[in-house]
Amino acid sequence: MTDDTRTPGIHHVTCIASDPQQNLDFWVETLGLRLVKRSINQDDPSTYHFFFADAEGNPGTSMTFFPWGEQTGQGKVGSGQVSRTAFRVPQGSLDYWEDRFDDYGVDYDDRVERFGETVLPFRDPDGLPVELVEVDIPEDDPTVPWTEFVPEDAAIRGFHSVTLWLVDPEPTEGLLRRMGFEEVGTEEAEGDTPGDQRTRFAAPGSVGKYVDVLPTVQSGRQGRGTVHHVAFQTPTDADQEAIRKVARSEGLNPTTQIDRHWFRSVYFREHGGILFELATNGPGYDSDEPLDELGGRLVLPGKFEDRREQIEANLPDVTIPRAETAEADD
């Protein structure tokens, strides 16, 4: 595989939540991400699919959720899962975030140092493990901060990394290398599974470039507060097909390309059982809504538009947090 077909890094991460309003309130108001798409789970149109990202919904910035309702069982992070999702924040902003978490009652842990960077672990209302990592944001950074609730000097600037928990990391590490990641270091896994080695792999992109791998035999189960899948950028169809062929050559079983309206996707379970997605960078979240109106309405892709009345009747009403409303309530 040539450098032209290496993944630049993470495209998006999709997780399972319970209550949709609670999910919106936390990820928009508390964390300050923009709701760039309000849609449905295309495999289960009775459920919302929310996309939270930077101001323009750039690749490498979108955390997405299936809020399956209060009846959704509590998940447990374990082997064969993405155990942590980390976001970049500007250097020096963790004091702001700890104060904000205190104000909003967010459950967070003490800071840890990892590969020379300072990390603030916390959990969303469903118990999803998330982290903020302080980094230097370059002037030409491709992300655009959303500042309706959080100031620019503290705003989340896309993904930093995901952490994979695996019983046997070696086959997955080999796959990551063939996808274009390079091993950049190992260290003791402080704040995760103490005593084990955390191995870091880096893609050539600037956002969402890291994947950390840890061995663990701890069992897990899917449910609210867990990651459903992680998607990697394959900017073009040719890039995607090249990595799809890599997956097939590894003895894995990737799907054919599936049109997800805002990107085109291929899915497969890697050697340890984690669901990987390969996602193109286009057409993008602004392909069916003006940039300044992203997330403002329920978007039903393709064939689902003809079923709008039925779909809307089955979805709970939600209110998108707005800064002016939050200020009026204070």
Side-chain angles (χ1 to χ4, degrees), residues 293-307:
E293 297 177 14
L294 292 180
R297 65 185 180 92
L298 179 68
V299 175
L300 299 177
K303 62 183 180 182
F304 297 105
E305 182 61 45
D306 294 337
R307 299 163 53 190

Side-chain angles (χ1 to χ4, degrees), residues 80 164-176 178-179 246-253 268-276:
L164 313 183
W165 278 7
L166 297 159
V167 171
D168 179 9
E170 188 172 343
T172 301
E173 291 174 351
L175 172 65
L176 290 172
R178 296 192 64 194
M179 290 173 61
V246 165
R248 286 181 60 86
S249 72
E250 292 263 327
L252 304 170
N253 189 30
F268 61 92
R269 290 201 179 273
E270 54 76 47
H271 299 286
I274 300 172
L275 184 58
F276 279 10

Side-chain angles (χ1 to χ4, degrees), residues 10-293:
I10 299 163
H11 184 280
H12 67 269
V13 177
T14 296
C15 309
I16 301 169
S18 56
D19 179 69
Q21 188 63 60
Q22 175 182 259
N23 185 248
L24 281 169
D25 291 345
F26 184 81
W27 286 87
V28 174
E29 182 174 351
T30 305
L31 292 188
L33 292 177
R34 185 182 187 187
L35 179 68
V36 294
K37 196 62 59 181
R38 178 164 36 126
S39 190
I40 54 168
N41 180 342
Q42 294 177 41
D43 299 317
D44 177 11
S46 66
T47 303
Y48 279 117
H49 193 178
F50 296 147
F51 298 72
F52 306 104
D54 74 348
E56 297 181 356
N58 284 302
T61 70
S62 57
M63 190 77 157
T64 93
F65 285 87
F66 301 139
W68 284 345
E70 292 292 350
Q71 76 283 359
T72 308
Q74 182 65 52
K76 177 187 176 186
V77 176
S79 60
Q81 292 187 20
V82 174
S83 66
R84 305 286 187 273
T85 304
F87 292 94
R88 306 183 310 153
V89 293
Q91 198 69 243
S93 65
L94 289 186
D95 286 344
Y96 168 89
W97 281 105
E98 287 183 345
D99 290 343
R100 188 170 184 83
F101 288 171
D102 287 336
D103 290 342
Y104 280 84
V106 176
D107 183 17
Y108 68 94
D109 298 327
D110 292 337
R111 303 179 192 183
V112 297
E113 296 297 316
R114 192 181 297 152
F115 293 105
E117 297 172 324
T118 305
V119 181
L120 177 62
F122 67 99
R123 284 154 293 280
D124 86 345
D126 286 299
L128 181 76
V130 194
E131 299 172 334
L132 300 179
V133 184
E134 283 188 337
V135 301
D136 290 318
I137 307 294
E139 290 291 331
D140 60 350
D141 193 80
T143 65
V144 180
W146 179 244
T147 57
E148 184 167 358
F149 286 100
V150 174
E152 182 174 349
D153 61 3
I156 289 172
R157 303 296 293 270
F159 292 111
H160 175 275
S161 58
V162 291
T163 299
L164 313 183
W165 278 7
L166 297 159
V167 171
D168 179 9
E170 188 172 343
T172 301
E173 291 174 351
L175 172 65
L176 290 172
R177 291 185 181 96
R178 296 192 64 194
M179 290 173 61
F181 288 87
E182 296 182 358
E183 184 176 334
V184 294
T186 62
E187 67 176 31
E188 292 297 317
E190 180 184 358
D192 208 325
T193 51
D196 285 338
Q197 287 287 325
R198 173 186 291 267
T199 304
R200 173 159 290 181
F201 293 83
S206 56
V207 182
K209 66 183 294 182
Y210 297 117
V211 173
D212 290 357
V213 178
L214 281 91
T216 181
V217 295
Q218 180 173 310
S219 62
R221 62 178 177 272
Q222 191 173 83
R224 68 176 186 266
T226 61
V227 172
H228 187 273
H229 65 268
V230 56
F232 296 98
Q233 293 182 50
T234 48
T236 69
D237 290 334
D239 297 331
Q240 185 181 80
E241 181 58 22
I243 298 183
R244 181 177 180 272
K245 288 179 178 177
V246 165
R248 286 181 60 86
S249 72
E250 292 263 327
L252 304 170
N253 189 30
T255 65
T256 56
Q257 189 183 75
I258 300 172
D259 187 354
R260 292 305 192 191
H261 196 64
W262 309 288
F263 40 82
R264 295 174 296 279
S265 301
V266 167
Y267 301 86
F268 61 92
R269 290 201 179 273
E270 54 76 47
H271 299 286
I274 300 172
L275 184 58
F276 279 10
E277 177 183 349
L278 310 176
T280 62
N281 283 0
Y285 298 124
D286 60 353
S287 61
D288 53 8
E289 292 181 288
L291 185 61
D292 61 356
E293 297 177 14

